[in-house]
């Protein structure tokens, strides 16, 4: 099959409230489209052919498209009748609709096709090449000249090309042609020729090649012309696929031997700084090469995926292909096809990374945030084939033609276009998570969103349902490079529960929906195990407490490596490995795993740590590092795995697989939680299980690849005592990766801390609630979705909770009440609202102002005013008083002495986080 690194995700912080952003780097403020990308990824309504578009050109706001088709029809879903268009159509660049220019390219025998279009320097003449014998009935031989003003073929221009012409390039007086021909006007001209631009007369230029020509580009100084194609020789000189020849004579001025023999050059383009080529290969080179003005190579993009067209514009190289593997460039692994890409034309024009060598060539500048999607489509199933930029009414349009039948997931055949203005696509909705491992601190995390034409996005964090964000964080991402971003809230109180939501906004102001609400109770004391993992420097820490698929949050202090769940592992398995604080993830042993969301490298010193529980007899990988994500890696290293008998192995690839393991009778498939740690550094390899050293080996090297962490599965072919299954069946918890070697003492400490008693949190929702209204003294409000509190005239609210008993060996350490204001105007209050015990009896259905219960006089807590905005509010409650009623049904009253009413959601409400709730924290006596 013919097939064809990276923009580093930068992160920034702008605070709208107290807190800290973790691991973030300042970035410039984004413009309407993230520069230097010049076009949105939002496709515009465009008329579409019923076949394939092979060629495009533009002049004066009109786009010319040629190919193999017989008609054009309105955009999908638009009104209008199909129009005849025989292998050619002229369209208004701004509307996407056909113009009055109608040309029909036909041939007496076989199928006519237009394969090349170019416009003269004065934009008065359109030249067409391909395989055809007439234009609107005027006889021609595979090349024609069209008067643009009158849309008529020039009958006096009739050079004789006996076979297909695939590329054209025009100067003021010369038209160059490339294709399959071996003669022109009866004279030998093998695959390349030059003719007079006015008369069509053959010129003395000779650049004979042994295989077809496919691309032409005049040098910036006009002295040379670059040739591309399938050839291996030009004028007898060895030069495969690419050559430079004198523009007048055709004499070879530069040859190339660096394009693999299975590759051909399909496109060549130029800007003021040099030249760019697009290649297609059969298991060979499929990417792009940038040449300096002296024709020497500047960089090479070795992505696989049949590059069809290259188009430099304003410092960016746009390309069409079906790129499916950019591993060599440090970008996406083999998998999904990316049909339209953009990258910087040079390392010196704003690239965030420094150039490096890959396979002996300078690596290309990284891809930018421009990701319109397409599909393989018709014909050869290549997707997009050709690109052109047109301008009309000060707006620039990127036109794309080819074989595709879908654009951005919608039906659209062969032609589409994108504008320089009018970005309307919103980023994807963030998936947020939240954790707290010590008092006074909550870490809010989310995998960065994806926007098809904005790599720099602004994230807003909302707390407790407030309409005003508590913080604003900026972060960069690409479709395949979506690091985790995070923000730490340092304004929280111990023992209180908080909820958070996150939105993403692009530079044009398009905003995603809010993320699902995530909530956490702040502990009253440090959670020993997770806090120590963070303190010891983990830069990846997956705790598997996630409540939604498919993302796994990184809980490390500065971590940005979220995980992606593959094939839906089981979430929130209990009990987890760590007493009282964590859930685990369950894996089926056949297809499920978690892999890291972005590509990275691993240093020479590192530590791998995880917990597992299983009774499998088929073994499987616990954790490892491999070069692919959702498919088997073909380079894999740093593996901890279990054999069929339950032994644990740790292996690295250092000139072959080197492994160490637990003893022959040291097995761990006993359905109990076990702790495994593997290290490698200057002292070699070491393996620990349950805090004990099990094996070591003086091997310091490993395979240096760019790749992804895998937990629960990936390739194990070729490794010692390879298990029956690559995939692990069982539960995994608390996976951590450190960029250093942990000491034996640190490892033992982690194992021991996992058994330390920790706080447990119970969240109890009101089982019944109501309020009374002095203004309607006989009315019961037990079925209402709202509650009210006021002093005069009186409203009082009553809440009933089934309070659990303290777990064995613990006491109540803190308690808080959470309420949420409704969405009605002025639902908040400026008055103090007291929380008091209810000493009398009441029921939701029967309690009215006339039958209201008695309230206690000593407040258990209070709200010092509640702001408007349908937001969650919490207040701490008297722990001693609540300790006395643990294990019972208990009622609280909300009362005020002021005149400003407070309106709350009741337990009947379906609004998110609306129901009144108690948060109870239990800990050791």
């Amino acid at each position: 099959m013919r097939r064809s690194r990276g923009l580093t995700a930068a992160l920034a912080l702008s605070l709208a409230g107290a807190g800290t952003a973790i691991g973030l780097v300042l970035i410039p403020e984004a413009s309407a489209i993230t520069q230097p990308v010049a076009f949105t990824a939002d496709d515009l309504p465009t008329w579409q052919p019923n076949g394939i578009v092979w060629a495009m050109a533009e002049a004066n706001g009109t786009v010319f498209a040629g190919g193999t088709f017989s008609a054009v029809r309105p955009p999908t879903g638009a009104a209008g009748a199909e129009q005849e268009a025989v292998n050619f159509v002229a369209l208004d660049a701004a509307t996407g609709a056909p113009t009055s220019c109608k040309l029909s390219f036909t041939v007496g025998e076989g199928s006519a096709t237009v394969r090349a279009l170019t416009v003269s320097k004065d934009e008065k003449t359109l030249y067409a090449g391909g395989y055809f014998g007439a234009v609107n009935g005027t006889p021609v031989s595979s090349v024609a000249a069209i008067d643009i003003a009158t849309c008529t073929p020039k009958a006096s221009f009739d050079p004789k090309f006996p076979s297909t012409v695939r590329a054209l390039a025009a100067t003021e007086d010369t038209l160059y042609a490339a294709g399959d021909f071996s003669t022109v006007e009866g004279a030998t001209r093998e695959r390349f020729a030059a003719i007079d631009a006015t008369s069509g007369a053959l010129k003395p230029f000779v650049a004979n090649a042994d295989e077809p020509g496919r691309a032409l580009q005049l040098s910036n100084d006009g002295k040379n012309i670059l040739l591309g194609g399938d050839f291996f020789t030009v004028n007898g000189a060895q030069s495969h696929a690419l050559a430079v020849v004198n523009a007048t004579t055709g004499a070879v001025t530069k040859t190339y031997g660096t394009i693999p023999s299975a590759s051909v050059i399909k496109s060549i383009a130029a800007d003021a700084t040099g030249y760019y080529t697009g290649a297609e290969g059969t298991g060979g080179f499929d990417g792009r090469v940038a040449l300096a003005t002296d024709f020497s190579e500047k960089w090479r993009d070795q992505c696989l995926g049949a590059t069809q067209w290259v188009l430099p514009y304003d410092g960016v190289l746009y390309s069409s292909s079906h790129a499916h593997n950019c591993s060599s460039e440090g970008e996406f692994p083999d998998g999904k096809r990316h049909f339209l890409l953009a990258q910087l034309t040079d390392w010196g024009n704003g690239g965030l990374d420094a150039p490096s060598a890959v396979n002996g060539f300078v690596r290309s500048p990284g891809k930018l945030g421009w990701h319109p999607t397409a599909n393989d489509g018709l014909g050869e199933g290549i997707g997009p084939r050709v690109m052109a930029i047109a301008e009309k009414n000060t707006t620039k349009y990127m036109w794309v033609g080819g074989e595709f039948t879908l654009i951005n997931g919608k039906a659209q055949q062969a032609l589409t276009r994108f504008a320089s203005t009018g970005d309307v696509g919103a980023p994807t909705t963030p998936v947020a998570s939240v954790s707290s491992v010590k008092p006074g601190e909550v870490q809010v995390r989310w995998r960065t969103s994806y926007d098809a034409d904005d790599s720099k996005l602004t994230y807003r964090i909302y707390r407790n349902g407030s309409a005003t964000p508590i913080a604003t964080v900026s972060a960069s991402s690409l479709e395949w490079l979506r690091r985790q971003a995070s923000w730490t809230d340092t304004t929280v109180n111990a023992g209180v529960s908080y909820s958070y939501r996150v939105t993403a906004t692009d530079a044009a102001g398009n905003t995603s929906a809010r993320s699902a609400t995530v909530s956490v109770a702040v502990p009253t004391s440090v959670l020993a195990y997770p806090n120590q993992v963070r303190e010891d420097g983990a830069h990846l820490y997956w705790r598997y407490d996630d409540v939604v698929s498919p993302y796994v949050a990184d809980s490390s202090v500065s971590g940005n490596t979220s995980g992606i769940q593959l094939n839906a592992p089981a979430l929130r398995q209990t009990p987890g490995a760590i007493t009282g604080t964590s859930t685990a993830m369950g894996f089926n042993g056949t297809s499920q795993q978690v892999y890291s969301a972005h590509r990275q490298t691993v240093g020479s010193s590192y530590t791998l740590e995880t917990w597992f529980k299983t009774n499998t007899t088929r073994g499987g990988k616990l954790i490892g590092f491999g070069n692919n994500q959702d498919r088997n890696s073909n380079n894999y290293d740093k593996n901890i795995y279990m054999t069929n008998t339950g032994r644990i192995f740790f292996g690295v690839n250092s000139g072959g697989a080197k492994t160490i393991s637990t003893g022959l009778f040291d097995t761990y498939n006993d359905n109990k939680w076990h702790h495994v740690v593997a290290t490698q550094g200057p002292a070699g390899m070491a393996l620990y299980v349950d805090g004990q050293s099990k094996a070591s080996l003086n091997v310091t090297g490993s395979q240096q690849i760019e790749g992804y962490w895998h937990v629960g599965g990936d390739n194990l072919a070729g490794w010692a005592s390879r298990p029956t299954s690559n995939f692990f069946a069982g539960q995994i918890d608390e996976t951590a990766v450190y960029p250093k070697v942990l000491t034996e003492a640190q490892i033992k400490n982690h194992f021991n801390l996992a058994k330390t008693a920790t706080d447990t949190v119970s969240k109890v929702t009101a089982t019944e609630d109501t309020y009374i209204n002095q203004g309607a003294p006989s009315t019961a409000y037990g079925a209402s979705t709202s509650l009210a509190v006021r002093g005069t005239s009186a409203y009082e609210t009553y809440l009933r909770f089934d309070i659990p008993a303290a777990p064995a060996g613990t006491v109540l350490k803190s308690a808080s009440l959470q309420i949420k204001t409704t969405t009605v105007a002025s639902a908040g209050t400026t008055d103090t609202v007291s929380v008091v015990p209810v000493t009398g009896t009441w029921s939701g259905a029967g309690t009215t102002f006339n039958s209201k219960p008695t309230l206690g006089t000593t407040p258990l807590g209070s709200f010092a005013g509640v702001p408007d905005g349908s937001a969650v509010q919490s207040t701490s409650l008297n722990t001693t008083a609540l300790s006395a009623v643990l294990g019972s049904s208990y009622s609280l009253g909300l009362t005020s002495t002021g005149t400003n009413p407070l309106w709350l959601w009741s337990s009947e409400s379906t609004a998110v986080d609306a129901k009144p709730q108690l948060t109870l924290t239990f800990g050791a006596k």
Side-chain angles (χ1 to χ4, degrees), residues 78-96:
E82 183 176 272
Q83 298 181 14
E84 183 180 65
V86 182
N87 302 314
F88 175 88
V89 63
L91 304 110
D92 185 285
T95 68

PDB file of all heavy atoms in Angstrom, residues 78-96:
ATOM      1  N   ALA A  78     -28.634  21.370   0.159  1.00  0.00           N
ATOM      2  CA  ALA A  78     -29.017  22.664  -0.419  1.00  0.00           C
ATOM      3  C   ALA A  78     -29.899  22.451  -1.643  1.00  0.00           C
ATOM      4  O   ALA A  78     -29.806  21.438  -2.343  1.00  0.00           O
ATOM      5  CB  ALA A  78     -27.776  23.461  -0.805  1.00  0.00           C
ATOM      6  N   ALA A  79     -30.739  23.435  -1.909  1.00  0.00           N
ATOM      7  CA  ALA A  79     -31.616  23.360  -3.069  1.00  0.00           C
ATOM      8  C   ALA A  79     -30.846  23.701  -4.337  1.00  0.00           C
ATOM      9  O   ALA A  79     -29.847  24.414  -4.317  1.00  0.00           O
ATOM     10  CB  ALA A  79     -32.781  24.331  -2.897  1.00  0.00           C
ATOM     11  N   GLY A  80     -31.320  23.194  -5.463  1.00  0.00           N
ATOM     12  CA  GLY A  80     -30.697  23.494  -6.747  1.00  0.00           C
ATOM     13  C   GLY A  80     -30.571  22.259  -7.600  1.00  0.00           C
ATOM     14  O   GLY A  80     -30.501  21.135  -7.095  1.00  0.00           O
ATOM     15  N   ALA A  81     -30.532  22.454  -8.900  1.00  0.00           N
ATOM     16  CA  ALA A  81     -30.467  21.344  -9.833  1.00  0.00           C
ATOM     17  C   ALA A  81     -29.026  21.029 -10.204  1.00  0.00           C
ATOM     18  O   ALA A  81     -28.165  21.917 -10.253  1.00  0.00           O
ATOM     19  CB  ALA A  81     -31.261  21.686 -11.086  1.00  0.00           C
ATOM     20  N   GLU A  82     -28.757  19.775 -10.455  1.00  0.00           N
ATOM     21  CA  GLU A  82     -27.455  19.345 -10.933  1.00  0.00           C
ATOM     22  C   GLU A  82     -27.159  19.991 -12.282  1.00  0.00           C
ATOM     23  O   GLU A  82     -28.053  20.193 -13.099  1.00  0.00           O
ATOM     24  CB  GLU A  82     -27.433  17.820 -11.055  1.00  0.00           C
ATOM     25  CG  GLU A  82     -26.106  17.238 -11.472  1.00  0.00           C
ATOM     26  CD  GLU A  82     -26.125  15.722 -11.480  1.00  0.00           C
ATOM     27  OE1 GLU A  82     -25.842  15.109 -10.444  1.00  0.00           O
ATOM     28  OE2 GLU A  82     -26.459  15.165 -12.551  1.00  0.00           O
ATOM     29  N   GLN A  83     -25.891  20.341 -12.538  1.00  0.00           N
ATOM     30  CA  GLN A  83     -25.480  20.928 -13.808  1.00  0.00           C
ATOM     31  C   GLN A  83     -24.433  20.046 -14.475  1.00  0.00           C
ATOM     32  O   GLN A  83     -23.596  19.439 -13.809  1.00  0.00           O
ATOM     33  CB  GLN A  83     -24.878  22.320 -13.577  1.00  0.00           C
ATOM     34  CG  GLN A  83     -25.824  23.334 -12.979  1.00  0.00           C
ATOM     35  CD  GLN A  83     -25.172  24.691 -12.807  1.00  0.00           C
ATOM     36  OE1 GLN A  83     -24.102  24.955 -13.372  1.00  0.00           O
ATOM     37  NE2 GLN A  83     -25.821  25.572 -12.044  1.00  0.00           N
ATOM     38  N   GLU A  84     -24.492  20.009 -15.793  1.00  0.00           N
ATOM     39  CA  GLU A  84     -23.486  19.272 -16.531  1.00  0.00           C
ATOM     40  C   GLU A  84     -22.119  19.952 -16.355  1.00  0.00           C
ATOM     41  O   GLU A  84     -22.006  21.178 -16.412  1.00  0.00           O
ATOM     42  CB  GLU A  84     -23.838  19.214 -18.011  1.00  0.00           C
ATOM     43  CG  GLU A  84     -22.853  18.384 -18.824  1.00  0.00           C
ATOM     44  CD  GLU A  84     -23.203  18.336 -20.303  1.00  0.00           C
ATOM     45  OE1 GLU A  84     -23.147  19.418 -20.940  1.00  0.00           O
ATOM     46  OE2 GLU A  84     -23.545  17.253 -20.798  1.00  0.00           O
ATOM     47  N   ALA A  85     -21.100  19.163 -16.142  1.00  0.00           N
ATOM     48  CA  ALA A  85     -19.725  19.669 -16.020  1.00  0.00           C
ATOM     49  C   ALA A  85     -18.810  18.516 -16.412  1.00  0.00           C
ATOM     50  O   ALA A  85     -18.542  17.625 -15.616  1.00  0.00           O
ATOM     51  CB  ALA A  85     -19.434  20.132 -14.590  1.00  0.00           C
ATOM     52  N   VAL A  86     -18.357  18.536 -17.675  1.00  0.00           N
ATOM     53  CA  VAL A  86     -17.614  17.406 -18.212  1.00  0.00           C
ATOM     54  C   VAL A  86     -16.131  17.597 -17.929  1.00  0.00           C
ATOM     55  O   VAL A  86     -15.412  18.284 -18.653  1.00  0.00           O
ATOM     56  CB  VAL A  86     -17.885  17.242 -19.719  1.00  0.00           C
ATOM     57  CG1 VAL A  86     -17.139  16.021 -20.257  1.00  0.00           C
ATOM     58  CG2 VAL A  86     -19.374  17.111 -19.972  1.00  0.00           C
ATOM     59  N   ASN A  87     -15.710  17.047 -16.807  1.00  0.00           N
ATOM     60  CA  ASN A  87     -14.302  17.019 -16.377  1.00  0.00           C
ATOM     61  C   ASN A  87     -13.739  18.391 -16.014  1.00  0.00           C
ATOM     62  O   ASN A  87     -12.529  18.530 -15.819  1.00  0.00           O
ATOM     63  CB  ASN A  87     -13.416  16.365 -17.445  1.00  0.00           C
ATOM     64  CG  ASN A  87     -13.866  14.956 -17.764  1.00  0.00           C
ATOM     65  OD1 ASN A  87     -14.135  14.164 -16.857  1.00  0.00           O
ATOM     66  ND2 ASN A  87     -13.980  14.634 -19.049  1.00  0.00           N
ATOM     67  N   PHE A  88     -14.610  19.405 -15.926  1.00  0.00           N
ATOM     68  CA  PHE A  88     -14.132  20.754 -15.603  1.00  0.00           C
ATOM     69  C   PHE A  88     -15.286  21.561 -15.028  1.00  0.00           C
ATOM     70  O   PHE A  88     -16.433  21.463 -15.470  1.00  0.00           O
ATOM     71  CB  PHE A  88     -13.611  21.452 -16.861  1.00  0.00           C
ATOM     72  CG  PHE A  88     -13.204  22.895 -16.625  1.00  0.00           C
ATOM     73  CD1 PHE A  88     -11.915  23.210 -16.210  1.00  0.00           C
ATOM     74  CD2 PHE A  88     -14.120  23.932 -16.806  1.00  0.00           C
ATOM     75  CE1 PHE A  88     -11.545  24.532 -15.983  1.00  0.00           C
ATOM     76  CE2 PHE A  88     -13.751  25.255 -16.581  1.00  0.00           C
ATOM     77  CZ  PHE A  88     -12.459  25.554 -16.171  1.00  0.00           C
ATOM     78  N   VAL A  89     -14.955  22.410 -14.043  1.00  0.00           N
ATOM     79  CA  VAL A  89     -15.937  23.347 -13.515  1.00  0.00           C
ATOM     80  C   VAL A  89     -15.200  24.579 -13.015  1.00  0.00           C
ATOM     81  O   VAL A  89     -14.091  24.485 -12.477  1.00  0.00           O
ATOM     82  CB  VAL A  89     -16.785  22.717 -12.384  1.00  0.00           C
ATOM     83  CG1 VAL A  89     -15.925  22.341 -11.174  1.00  0.00           C
ATOM     84  CG2 VAL A  89     -17.913  23.644 -11.969  1.00  0.00           C
ATOM     85  N   ALA A  90     -15.791  25.748 -13.221  1.00  0.00           N
ATOM     86  CA  ALA A  90     -15.278  27.009 -12.688  1.00  0.00           C
ATOM     87  C   ALA A  90     -16.238  27.464 -11.592  1.00  0.00           C
ATOM     88  O   ALA A  90     -17.456  27.454 -11.779  1.00  0.00           O
ATOM     89  CB  ALA A  90     -15.183  28.060 -13.783  1.00  0.00           C
ATOM     90  N   LEU A  91     -15.698  27.849 -10.422  1.00  0.00           N
ATOM     91  CA  LEU A  91     -16.544  28.179  -9.279  1.00  0.00           C
ATOM     92  C   LEU A  91     -16.135  29.507  -8.672  1.00  0.00           C
ATOM     93  O   LEU A  91     -14.956  29.894  -8.693  1.00  0.00           O
ATOM     94  CB  LEU A  91     -16.443  27.085  -8.212  1.00  0.00           C
ATOM     95  CG  LEU A  91     -16.777  25.671  -8.688  1.00  0.00           C
ATOM     96  CD1 LEU A  91     -15.512  24.840  -8.722  1.00  0.00           C
ATOM     97  CD2 LEU A  91     -17.815  25.027  -7.793  1.00  0.00           C
ATOM     98  N   ASP A  92     -17.113  30.206  -8.137  1.00  0.00           N
ATOM     99  CA  ASP A  92     -16.866  31.449  -7.422  1.00  0.00           C
ATOM    100  C   ASP A  92     -16.191  31.115  -6.092  1.00  0.00           C
ATOM    101  O   ASP A  92     -16.723  30.335  -5.308  1.00  0.00           O
ATOM    102  CB  ASP A  92     -18.185  32.176  -7.188  1.00  0.00           C
ATOM    103  CG  ASP A  92     -17.980  33.542  -6.562  1.00  0.00           C
ATOM    104  OD1 ASP A  92     -17.677  33.593  -5.355  1.00  0.00           O
ATOM    105  OD2 ASP A  92     -18.124  34.550  -7.281  1.00  0.00           O
ATOM    106  N   ALA A  93     -15.025  31.714  -5.848  1.00  0.00           N
ATOM    107  CA  ALA A  93     -14.255  31.382  -4.653  1.00  0.00           C
ATOM    108  C   ALA A  93     -15.015  31.692  -3.378  1.00  0.00           C
ATOM    109  O   ALA A  93     -14.859  31.006  -2.363  1.00  0.00           O
ATOM    110  CB  ALA A  93     -12.917  32.120  -4.656  1.00  0.00           C
ATOM    111  N   ALA A  94     -15.858  32.728  -3.397  1.00  0.00           N
ATOM    112  CA  ALA A  94     -16.556  33.181  -2.195  1.00  0.00           C
ATOM    113  C   ALA A  94     -17.858  32.447  -1.941  1.00  0.00           C
ATOM    114  O   ALA A  94     -18.272  32.299  -0.797  1.00  0.00           O
ATOM    115  CB  ALA A  94     -16.821  34.682  -2.277  1.00  0.00           C
ATOM    116  N   THR A  95     -18.543  31.979  -2.992  1.00  0.00           N
ATOM    117  CA  THR A  95     -19.834  31.318  -2.807  1.00  0.00           C
ATOM    118  C   THR A  95     -19.766  29.811  -2.967  1.00  0.00           C
ATOM    119  O   THR A  95     -20.664  29.105  -2.493  1.00  0.00           O
ATOM    120  CB  THR A  95     -20.860  31.857  -3.810  1.00  0.00           C
ATOM    121  OG1 THR A  95     -20.488  31.448  -5.144  1.00  0.00           O
ATOM    122  CG2 THR A  95     -20.952  33.375  -3.727  1.00  0.00           C
ATOM    123  N   GLY A  96     -18.757  29.322  -3.658  1.00  0.00           N
ATOM    124  CA  GLY A  96     -18.657  27.893  -3.910  1.00  0.00           C
ATOM    125  C   GLY A  96     -19.574  27.402  -5.006  1.00  0.00           C
ATOM    126  O   GLY A  96     -19.710  26.200  -5.224  1.00  0.00           O
TER     127      GLY A  96
END
